Amino acid sequence: MFYELQKYLNELFKRQVKLSPSREADLASNSFLYENGACKAAAIINETPHPYILRAVQKNGWLLLSLSDAAFEALIEDGRALNFAYRNDLVENRLLRFMRHGAKPCPEDETIRRVLLHTAMGRDTDAEILTMTHHKKGMERVALEKNLGGAAEAMLRFRNSQNRSSKNFVLLP
């Protein structure tokens, strides 16, 4: 998923666009050094849609990308294709517990999606994964955890993949 998105952006702007996780949106890029550069980039992306990009906006010189449901589904499929070696730690056991509910689509929950992105990019923490459902209370939390099967499997495989590295998600200079 990252490769396709990176390739699309590189071809669209005829230069390498570096992506990183963001609090404001799913992904961000500061490759456009001036505000009007990011503003123009957002307009170009919105005019030439990509199935993985829901919308692009500019804020303080940053290009912010919100990803579509298709992007998260593709990310889960990418993760499920990886091999992993089981290490039996607390985080892995929590993810295995979520996986028992079966492979389901990625929930439309901002926190879960952010953790999935961070895990795929190699920027996750144990605490982030252990507390990813804590923003919900009671039955909402139980319902969310029952829908985490596919995302949890992808996170587990991304975390334990032999080739895990954030450099795996930068494409073509």
Side-chain angles (χ1 to χ4, degrees):
M1 189 281 298
F2 281 110
Y3 298 115
E4 293 173 33
L5 187 58
Q6 192 89 45
K7 185 176 179 182
Y8 164 76
L9 293 172
N10 290 347
E11 289 173 359
L12 189 61
F13 298 110
K14 308 287 190 264
R15 61 188 275 195
Q16 184 173 359
V17 178
K18 295 181 182 176
L19 298 172
S20 59
S22 166
R23 290 186 184 129
E24 301 279 332
D26 295 321
L27 294 172
S29 175
N30 66 347
S31 299
F32 307 93
L33 299 175
Y34 303 102
E35 279 194 30
N36 61 350
C39 189
K40 289 178 185 175
I44 291 170
I45 290 172
N46 289 326
E47 288 171 7
T48 57
H50 187 278
Y52 292 161
I53 299 175
L54 192 59
R55 73 178 165 277
V57 296
Q58 174 273 330
K59 185 171 183 181
N60 298 330
W62 285 79
L63 175 65
L64 304 175
L65 302 174
S66 296
L67 300 179
S68 67
D69 292 340
F72 287 100
E73 292 308 315
L75 189 59
I76 287 175
E77 289 305 314
D78 289 350
R80 293 178 73 198
L82 297 173
N83 293 323
F84 71 97
Y86 182 63
R87 294 187 312 218
N88 192 21
D89 65 12
L90 180 62
V91 174
E92 287 188 9
N93 288 334
R94 176 74 54 90
L95 291 172
L96 286 168
R97 186 184 70 146
F98 295 147
M99 284 172 54
R100 288 186 197 149
H101 298 292
K104 297 185 178 161
C106 189
E108 292 185 19
D109 184 88
E110 184 178 320
T111 304
I112 301 302
R113 289 181 171 199
R114 182 163 291 128
V115 173
L116 178 59
L117 273 173
H118 286 184
T119 305
M121 297 178 92
R123 297 179 180 190
D124 61 292
T125 63
D126 290 352
E128 183 178 37
I129 291 175
L130 292 172
T131 62
M132 69 183 168
T133 61
H134 289 190
H135 64 286
K136 300 283 187 183
K137 301 294 181 213
M139 293 308 290
E140 288 181 358
R141 183 171 171 183
V142 172
L144 177 62
E145 289 176 352
K146 284 184 178 180
N147 290 316
L148 285 179
E153 182 180 358
M155 288 180 209
L156 181 64
R157 289 177 181 270
F158 278 128
R159 281 179 61 86
N160 295 325
S161 170
Q162 298 299 323
N163 62 355
R164 179 181 170 171
S165 169
S166 60
K167 69 181 178 189
N168 290 337
F169 301 108
V170 176
L171 181 76
L172 304 174

